[in-house]
Amino acid sequence: MHPTAQQAPRKVLARCALVVAAGAAGLNASLRLDHSSSWFPLAALGVALIWAVGAWWSGWPGLGCKAAVTCWSRQVACPMLAGVLLALPFLAGALLAQRIDSWAAQVHDVLGFTQSGSLLQLSATTLLSGIAEELFFRGSLYNALPQRYQVAGSTALYLMVTLLTGNLMLTLAAAAVGAVASWQRQTRGTVMAPILTHLTWSMIMLHVLPHLL
């Protein structure tokens, strides 16, 4: 049976907890693979599938986007601009990190996946992963948390999942993207803005950052 808003909050939260645990384990396992391995893109898609199925199982949030042309700037342009502005300090930070050996190694470790598969395949995987993450963390999980903890709780759990990978660069990215996306979810009331911001940020990281390093 499809989860509904009438389900007991504890049951929905329990489902969210299971999804978070499964997603964290899947992400950790995928990042331990050799990035040049043909299995790596499949593992990344597997993690995205965990978040997507988890979003449905925990109470499908819906996109909540409006089709009115008059809302285009607010619904699309502003979130995408936020993604661009969010990416700029990361591009600058990655350049500065090259001066510190331990940080540079982690940046290059994150970028190692860009050597796996075609650019089109990587772009599709990145887009699907971003959408799935937002549907769960800023959608189903956000809705399941008590109102006073929705922003802080969804951001903290998103950060915790990434922190378990042991990569500082990914953790900083999760903290920034998660905080902005959760704030957008609270102020706009839909998951569409977080999705657009996340995808814009991800595409810049994928297509621009490798050429700077």
Side-chain angles (χ1 to χ4, degrees):
M1 181 180 295
H2 191 286
T4 66
Q6 284 69 41
Q7 286 181 306
R10 289 183 181 178
K11 184 175 183 179
V12 177
L13 283 173
R15 291 186 176 189
C16 287
L18 289 174
V19 175
V20 168
L27 179 62
N28 204 346
S30 68
L31 292 178
R32 291 180 181 277
L33 292 174
D34 184 344
H35 290 169
S36 63
S37 170
S38 60
W39 288 102
F40 182 76
L42 293 176
L45 285 175
V47 177
L49 184 62
I50 291 174
W51 300 132
V53 172
W56 171 84
W57 190 46
S58 305
W60 191 250
L63 295 179
C65 71
K66 299 177 182 178
V69 176
T70 55
C71 294
W72 185 87
S73 63
R74 184 173 183 272
Q75 297 291 333
V76 179
C78 287
M80 292 182 71
L81 177 59
V84 173
L85 295 176
L86 186 60
L88 293 178
F90 278 93
L91 296 177
L95 290 174
L96 291 175
Q98 297 304 296
R99 300 175 180 271
I100 305 174
D101 291 341
S102 59
W103 289 18
Q106 294 198 45
V107 172
H108 286 285
D109 183 56
V110 173
L111 293 178
F113 79 95
T114 61
Q115 307 300 318
S116 175
S118 68
L119 188 59
L120 179 61
Q121 181 187 53
L122 288 169
S123 297
T125 301
T126 301
L127 289 172
L128 290 173
S129 296
I131 292 172
E133 287 178 12
E134 293 306 320
L135 285 174
F136 177 72
F137 284 97
R138 259 63 68 176
S140 300
L141 176 62
Y142 184 96
N143 290 341
L145 293 170
Q147 187 173 6
R148 68 173 66 181
Y149 301 119
Q150 287 176 322
V151 173
S154 58
T155 302
L157 287 170
Y158 186 59
L159 178 61
M160 182 196 72
V161 167
T162 313
L163 184 63
L164 293 175
T165 66
N167 188 292
L168 177 62
M169 297 299 108
L170 282 179
T171 301
L172 290 175
V177 174
V180 171
S182 294
W183 174 79
Q184 289 177 320
R185 175 68 172 83
Q186 181 188 53
T187 57
R188 297 182 182 275
T190 75
V191 76
M192 192 63 187
I195 286 176
L196 290 173
T197 296
H198 191 147
L199 296 188
T200 302
W201 179 88
S202 295
M203 287 296 101
I204 293 174
M205 292 297 103
L206 175 62
H207 293 279
V208 177
L209 185 56
H211 298 290
L212 296 180
L213 304 179

Coordinates of all heavy atoms in Angstrom, one line a residue, residues 64 66 71 73-79 82 182-194 197:
G64 N 5.4 19.7 -6.6 CA 4.7 21.0 -6.2 C 5.1 22.2 -7.1 O 5.0 23.3 -6.6
K66 N 4.7 24.9 -10.2 CA 3.6 25.6 -10.8 C 3.9 25.9 -12.3 O 5.0 26.2 -12.6 CB 3.3 27.0 -10.1 CG 2.9 26.8 -8.7 CD 2.7 28.1 -8.0 CE 2.4 28.0 -6.5 NZ 2.3 29.3 -5.8
C71 N 5.2 32.6 -13.0 CA 6.0 32.1 -11.9 C 7.4 31.6 -12.3 O 8.1 31.1 -11.5 CB 5.3 31.0 -11.1 SG 3.8 31.6 -10.3
S73 N 10.3 32.9 -13.2 CA 11.5 33.4 -12.6 C 11.7 32.9 -11.1 O 12.8 32.5 -10.7 CB 11.5 34.9 -12.6 OG 10.4 35.4 -11.8
R74 N 10.6 32.8 -10.4 CA 10.6 32.4 -9.0 C 10.8 30.9 -8.9 O 11.5 30.4 -8.1 CB 9.3 32.8 -8.3 CG 9.3 32.5 -6.8 CD 8.0 33.0 -6.2 NE 8.0 32.8 -4.8 CZ 7.5 31.7 -4.2 NH1 7.0 30.8 -4.9 NH2 7.6 31.6 -2.9
Q75 N 10.2 30.1 -9.8 CA 10.2 28.7 -9.7 C 11.4 28.0 -10.4 O 11.8 26.9 -10.0 CB 8.9 28.1 -10.4 CG 7.6 28.5 -9.8 CD 7.4 27.9 -8.4 OE1 7.9 26.8 -8.1 NE2 6.7 28.5 -7.5
V76 N 12.0 28.7 -11.4 CA 13.1 28.1 -12.1 C 14.3 28.9 -12.1 O 15.4 28.4 -11.7 CB 12.7 27.8 -13.6 CG1 13.8 27.2 -14.4 CG2 11.4 26.9 -13.7
A77 N 14.3 30.2 -12.5 CA 15.5 31.0 -12.7 C 16.2 31.2 -11.3 O 17.4 31.1 -11.2 CB 15.1 32.3 -13.3
C78 N 15.4 31.6 -10.3 CA 16.0 31.9 -9.0 C 16.7 30.6 -8.4 O 17.8 30.7 -7.9 CB 15.0 32.4 -8.0 SG 14.5 34.1 -8.4
P79 N 16.1 29.5 -8.4 CA 16.8 28.3 -7.9 C 18.0 27.9 -8.7 O 19.1 27.5 -8.1 CB 15.7 27.2 -8.0 CG 14.4 27.9 -7.9 CD 14.6 29.2 -8.6
A82 N 20.7 30.3 -7.7 CA 21.2 29.9 -6.4 C 22.3 28.8 -6.5 O 23.3 28.8 -5.8 CB 20.1 29.4 -5.5
S182 N 17.4 22.8 2.1 CA 16.4 22.7 3.2 C 15.7 24.1 3.4 O 14.5 24.2 3.7 CB 17.0 22.2 4.5 OG 17.5 20.9 4.3
W183 N 16.5 25.1 3.4 CA 16.0 26.5 3.5 C 15.0 26.8 2.4 O 13.9 27.3 2.6 CB 17.1 27.5 3.5 CG 16.6 28.9 3.5 CD1 16.1 29.6 4.6 CD2 16.5 29.8 2.4 NE1 15.7 30.9 4.2 CE2 16.0 31.0 2.9 CE3 16.8 29.7 1.1 CZ2 15.7 32.1 2.0 CZ3 16.6 30.7 0.2 CH2 16.1 31.9 0.7
Q184 N 15.3 26.4 1.2 CA 14.4 26.6 0.0 C 13.1 25.8 0.2 O 12.0 26.3 -0.1 CB 15.1 26.2 -1.3 CG 16.2 27.1 -1.7 CD 16.8 26.6 -3.0 OE1 17.1 25.4 -3.1 NE2 17.2 27.5 -3.9
R185 N 13.3 24.6 0.7 CA 12.1 23.7 1.0 C 11.1 24.4 2.0 O 9.9 24.4 1.8 CB 12.5 22.4 1.5 CG 11.4 21.4 1.9 CD 10.6 21.0 0.7 NE 9.6 20.0 1.0 CZ 8.4 20.2 1.5 NH1 8.0 21.4 1.8 NH2 7.6 19.2 1.8
Q186 N 11.7 25.0 3.0 CA 10.9 25.7 4.0 C 10.3 26.9 3.5 O 9.1 27.2 3.7 CB 11.8 26.0 5.2 CG 11.0 26.7 6.4 CD 11.9 27.2 7.4 OE1 12.9 27.9 7.2 NE2 11.7 26.8 8.7
T187 N 11.0 27.7 2.8 CA 10.5 29.0 2.3 C 9.6 28.9 1.1 O 8.6 29.7 1.0 CB 11.6 30.0 2.0 OG1 12.5 29.4 1.0 CG2 12.5 30.3 3.2
R188 N 9.8 28.0 0.2 CA 9.0 27.8 -1.0 C 7.9 26.8 -0.9 O 6.9 26.8 -1.6 CB 9.9 27.5 -2.2 CG 10.9 28.7 -2.5 CD 11.7 28.4 -3.7 NE 12.6 29.4 -4.0 CZ 12.4 30.6 -4.6 NH1 11.1 30.8 -5.1 NH2 13.3 31.5 -4.8
G189 N 8.0 25.9 0.1 CA 7.0 24.9 0.3 C 6.9 23.8 -0.7 O 6.0 22.9 -0.6
T190 N 7.9 23.7 -1.6 CA 7.9 22.6 -2.6 C 9.4 22.0 -2.7 O 10.3 22.7 -2.2 CB 7.5 23.0 -4.0 OG1 8.5 23.8 -4.6 CG2 6.2 23.9 -3.9
V191 N 9.5 20.9 -3.3 CA 10.8 20.3 -3.5 C 11.4 20.7 -4.8 O 12.6 20.3 -5.1 CB 10.7 18.8 -3.3 CG1 10.1 18.1 -4.5 CG2 12.1 18.1 -3.0
M192 N 10.7 21.4 -5.7 CA 11.2 21.7 -7.0 C 12.4 22.6 -6.9 O 13.4 22.4 -7.6 CB 10.1 22.4 -7.8 CG 10.4 22.5 -9.3 SD 10.6 20.8 -10.0 CE 11.2 21.3 -11.7
A193 N 12.4 23.7 -6.1 CA 13.5 24.6 -6.0 C 14.8 23.9 -5.5 O 15.8 24.1 -6.1 CB 13.1 25.8 -5.1
P194 N 14.7 23.1 -4.5 CA 15.9 22.3 -4.1 C 16.5 21.4 -5.2 O 17.7 21.3 -5.4 CB 15.4 21.5 -2.9 CG 14.3 22.3 -2.3 CD 13.6 22.9 -3.5
T197 N 18.3 23.7 -7.8 CA 19.5 24.3 -7.2 C 20.6 23.2 -7.2 O 21.7 23.4 -7.5 CB 19.3 24.8 -5.8 OG1 18.4 26.0 -5.9 CG2 20.6 25.3 -5.2

